[in-house]
Amino acid sequence: MTESNEVVRIAALSELIAWAARRERLSEDRADAVAAAWRTGTRNVAELARLARVSRDTVYADLAARAIDIGSREQVISGPQKGRGIPLTGDAVRTVARIADAVALPAFTHDPDDPLVRATLAASRALETVADVLEPPSDQGPGWTPRETLPSLADEGEKLAHHSRRALAALAEPAELAASSDSYRQAVLHTGRHAVADGASITLTLPTGEPITLQVGRDETGWTRLTSDSPLVVDGADSLDHLEAQAALQTLARIATRHLTEAALAEHRKDAQPGTCPRTRTLDAG
């Protein structure tokens, strides 16, 4: 067997082992879900089997694995009190993360550059990080405090936003994206409580150590303009540039708004923003 074939064989076996591990985790998650449904009042095995898309024997096995005696009539229906909800827990989020991971990883192997696949993977990683923030692992050494893991959550959020914009940039026409940005600008200003960033001047330090200045702004249609006096910068923006530049300007505007005095703001407006259609309702004359 050649070395390349051996690499392929090991990769295939690794995927098989990972699939088995995912199936085992999902079976455990299913048993938890079946038990939770039973304890909260769903006592029909056929209905549980239909909803879980498994056999009745599997439901019986899941209930038995969770120490539920289906022959007992004294089991009290349990569950959170109405309206109070339940607190977020690491175990609950980790369960969702495992399910997301079981979907994201095979899709990533199939098409690692698909923006929606990458967004799904980032969402999966973000859920895993939330679980670590809520309940830091105790068996993996130092470095797992919330202060150390929350930056990773922010990073995964940035990846999710980036790949979502990649997907949008591939689908929407530039004129549509420009109009959407212009509409967002008008809507934010219309509230009277938030400023908008129409442009920014950025000082860049290049890898060569040379500083240059880049101007980010909008043209009359709402499309992003990137300009510089430096010959090292190529003017113009594509759809992804536009979406990410506008997102960056929105972030800068939110920061700036937090530092404005009340004199810079206006009364909160409740009338319809410019360019929106009024809501109408047709009543039956009869």
Side-chain angles (χ1 to χ4, degrees):
M1 181 177 290
T2 65
E3 183 177 348
S4 60
N5 286 339
E6 179 66 8
V7 170
V8 172
R9 187 182 73 85
I10 292 174
L13 289 177
S14 298
E15 176 59 28
L16 180 60
I17 292 170
W19 174 83
R22 290 195 300 270
R23 185 182 67 172
E24 183 177 348
R25 291 197 303 266
L26 289 174
S27 296
E28 291 295 312
D29 296 340
R30 186 199 63 236
D32 289 339
V34 168
W38 180 273
R39 291 189 179 109
T40 52
T42 305
R43 300 293 172 82
N44 187 312
V45 172
E47 181 181 4
L48 292 173
R50 178 178 61 82
L51 294 174
R53 298 182 183 178
V54 295
S55 68
R56 295 188 187 187
D57 288 343
T58 299
V59 172
Y60 286 129
D62 285 344
L63 294 174
R66 295 300 179 264
I68 293 177
D69 179 8
I70 63 173
S72 173
R73 299 296 180 182
E74 300 179 359
Q75 298 179 64
V76 178
I77 295 176
S78 62
Q81 295 184 19
K82 185 177 181 180
R84 295 185 61 182
I86 56 176
L88 194 65
T89 66
D91 280 344
V93 176
R94 193 164 277 112
T95 296
V96 179
R98 287 171 179 168
I99 296 172
D101 212 36
V103 173
L105 287 178
F108 180 75
T109 301
H110 175 71
D111 191 353
D113 196 48
D114 184 285
L116 290 181
V117 170
R118 297 293 294 271
T120 303
L121 188 63
S124 171
R125 296 289 183 262
L127 287 169
E128 290 176 4
T129 307
V130 169
D132 290 337
V133 171
L134 291 169
E135 296 178 8
S138 58
D139 59 348
Q140 299 187 34
W144 292 92
T145 67
R147 284 184 299 180
E148 292 165 309
T149 51
L150 279 170
S152 296
L153 178 59
D155 289 342
E156 295 301 337
E158 291 291 342
K159 293 176 185 176
L160 174 56
H162 169 71
H163 293 299
S164 299
R165 294 185 189 112
R166 281 184 60 209
L168 177 57
L171 292 175
E173 294 295 329
E176 180 184 355
L177 296 176
S180 178
S181 296
D182 191 56
S183 177
Y184 173 85
R185 178 183 181 279
Q186 292 184 45
V188 170
L189 286 176
H190 186 73
T191 66
R193 310 305 297 172
H194 299 276
V196 297
D198 286 325
S201 180
I202 304 172
T203 300
L204 299 175
T205 299
L206 303 181
T208 60
E210 178 183 354
I212 64 172
T213 301
L214 178 70
Q215 285 78 37
V216 183
R218 296 186 181 95
D219 64 17
E220 62 280 0
T221 69
W223 190 253
T224 297
R225 297 179 62 184
L226 302 175
T227 58
S228 176
D229 294 334
S230 172
L232 300 176
V233 176
V234 178
D235 294 344
D238 62 19
S239 293
L240 182 57
D241 293 335
H242 169 78
L243 290 170
E244 297 208 307
Q246 295 308 310
L249 289 175
Q250 292 170 20
T251 299
L252 290 173
R254 286 195 298 271
I255 295 171
T257 297
R258 293 198 292 267
H259 293 271
L260 295 177
T261 67
E262 190 64 28
L265 306 175
E267 291 295 327
H268 182 73
R269 299 181 60 173
K270 297 182 180 179
D271 57 319
Q273 71 182 67
T276 58
C277 298
R279 298 177 63 187
T280 60
R281 184 166 62 126
T282 302
L283 300 177
D284 188 350

